Amino acid sequence: MKKILVTGSAGQIGSELTMALRERYGNDRVVAGGRKTKPSAKLRESGPFEIVDCTDIKAVEKVVKRYEIDTIYHLAALLSAVAEARPQLAWDVNINGLYNVLEVAREYKCAVFTPSSIGAFGLSTPQDNTPQDTIQRPNTMYGVTKVAGELLCDYYYKRFGVDTRGVRYPGIISNVTLPGGGTTDYAVEIFYEAIKHKKYTCFIKEGTKMDMMYMPDALKAAFDLMEADPGKLKHRNAFNVTAMSFAPEEIAAEVKKHIPEFTMDYKVDPVRQAIAESWPNYMDDSVARREWGWHPEYDLPAMSKDMIKVLSEKLQVSDAV
Ligand code: SER
């Protein structure tokens, strides 16, 4: 029976993944690790919570030893826009943090799930139908840490036999915890603003396509890959996975179907726009489909409908659906 540690458990993906793992494997078998002293009441009350700064290898080791952890979902990382603003910190958290987790995993024989990202690609990557194995020359600190992370995870598998697995997540859209400083955050903000104020000012330019995914599919990708038959995995880390691809005006049109008064204008942020333009328009995820049966459930209309329903209830705006 698994004993799991989730790093970054208070983050956008971590907060939902931790609860989903607790539901699946039992509350006491999933340790929520985070740097925040005040995790949400739900995380704190439903199972063990430990302060784990992944840049401190001793802190990671202490928790793994104490709870006899055999699987680590390593989600602690800085997103793209924050990493551009604080590149030294991004290196420390995204690279040294991962290195520490892999070292502890090597010693205590843990399996490790680590997300890579669409940010692992760059301007010289083919942008349409981006292949699984292709040119990766990102020009952001986030991208540099993601490519290095993919390679490091492959190395720990080949050299030390650590069971490392991972996906290249696209922008993740969710309704529980806000993302913290990514380039794809507009696709989450738009729903909050549409429900609260019926309008949104988008920081990404019209016509800029990026891959996206609804949280239930992001969780499914992590579960399905970690439970996949290792004999079928030719790749292990950094599988392209996507569920939809759209530009800002396309998601705005979808929102408008549910909230007819909704309007959107643009105030482009040059830093995040440049990052967005260096990322794929849409990835080819056929290798993940083939090797471990990846299959997303939500497309743009299904995701938008659910986001508006759930958020309207959460924000208590009843006339928005
Ligand atoms: N959502 C992430 C970001 O925008 C992409 O991996 O940084």
Side-chain angles (χ1 to χ4, degrees), residues 46-295:
S46 62
F49 178 87
E50 292 284 342
I51 301 289
V52 186
D53 178 351
C54 64
T55 63
D56 173 3
I57 192 164
K58 291 268 173 262
V60 179
E61 185 182 12
K62 199 169 137 201
V63 172
V64 166
K65 224 166 131 178
R66 174 164 170 215
Y67 291 91
E68 297 178 333
I69 297 295
D70 57 39
T71 307
I72 305 172
Y73 286 77
H74 177 49
L75 302 177
L78 263 61
L79 289 180
S80 57
V82 180
E84 272 322 277
R86 307 184 68 184
Q88 295 82 2
L89 180 67
W91 179 269
D92 196 25
V93 175
N94 293 13
I95 292 293
N96 295 334
L98 174 60
Y99 173 78
N100 291 341
V101 165
L102 289 170
E103 266 300 292
V104 172
R106 177 179 68 78
E107 192 156 336
Y108 292 86
K109 305 205 177 335
C110 305
V112 181
F113 174 83
T114 313
S116 183
S117 157
I118 49 174
F121 298 115
L123 281 166
S124 50
T125 302
Q127 292 205 320
D128 293 335
N129 217 19
T130 303
Q132 174 66 44
D133 301 307
T134 186
I135 302 163
Q136 291 183 262
R137 308 285 296 169
N139 56 0
T140 61
M141 180 51 99
Y142 182 67
V144 168
T145 65
K146 288 297 173 186
V147 176
E150 292 180 3
L151 295 172
L152 203 56
C153 289
D154 277 347
Y155 181 82
Y156 268 72
Y157 168 64
K158 289 199 187 101
R159 177 79 167 76
F160 301 119
V162 177
D163 184 2
T164 56
R165 306 183 190 193
V167 295
R168 290 186 186 126
Y169 275 135
I172 304 297
I173 298 164
S174 65
N175 48 50
V176 174
T177 306
L178 287 169
T183 301
T184 55
D185 294 12
Y186 88 86
V188 178
E189 288 174 6
I190 190 172
F191 288 106
Y192 282 82
E193 294 305 307
I195 291 167
K196 286 196 285 195
H197 307 298
K198 319 273 184 244
K199 58 181 192 323
Y200 178 57
T201 300
C202 185
F203 59 77
I204 293 293
K205 207 188 277 175
E206 197 173 352
T208 313
K209 275 190 182 281
M210 284 184 278
D211 282 300
M212 303 278 178
M213 185 181 289
Y214 197 29
M215 184 62 90
D217 281 328
L219 303 182
K220 183 169 163 328
F223 289 146
D224 290 355
L225 177 57
M226 289 307 273
E227 284 170 6
D229 172 0
K232 295 205 172 117
L233 301 179
K234 291 196 189 72
H235 298 76
R236 294 196 64 97
N237 296 290
F239 282 96
N240 285 1
V241 286
T242 186
M244 62 193 92
S245 161
F246 55 76
E249 68 277 14
E250 293 172 278
I251 188 172
E254 204 54 50
V255 170
K256 220 172 155 50
K257 285 185 193 162
H258 301 271
I259 307 172
E261 320 89 285
F262 176 68
T263 57
M264 186 168 84
D265 58 8
Y266 296 87
K267 187 168 179 244
V268 174
D269 168 11
V271 174
R272 285 181 286 188
Q273 181 61 30
I275 295 174
E277 284 174 16
S278 76
W279 289 355
N281 295 330
Y282 57 96
M283 293 187 286
D284 172 5
D285 62 4
S286 57
V287 170
R289 289 171 188 261
R290 204 162 55 235
E291 291 188 23
W292 49 277
W294 162 242
H295 182 70

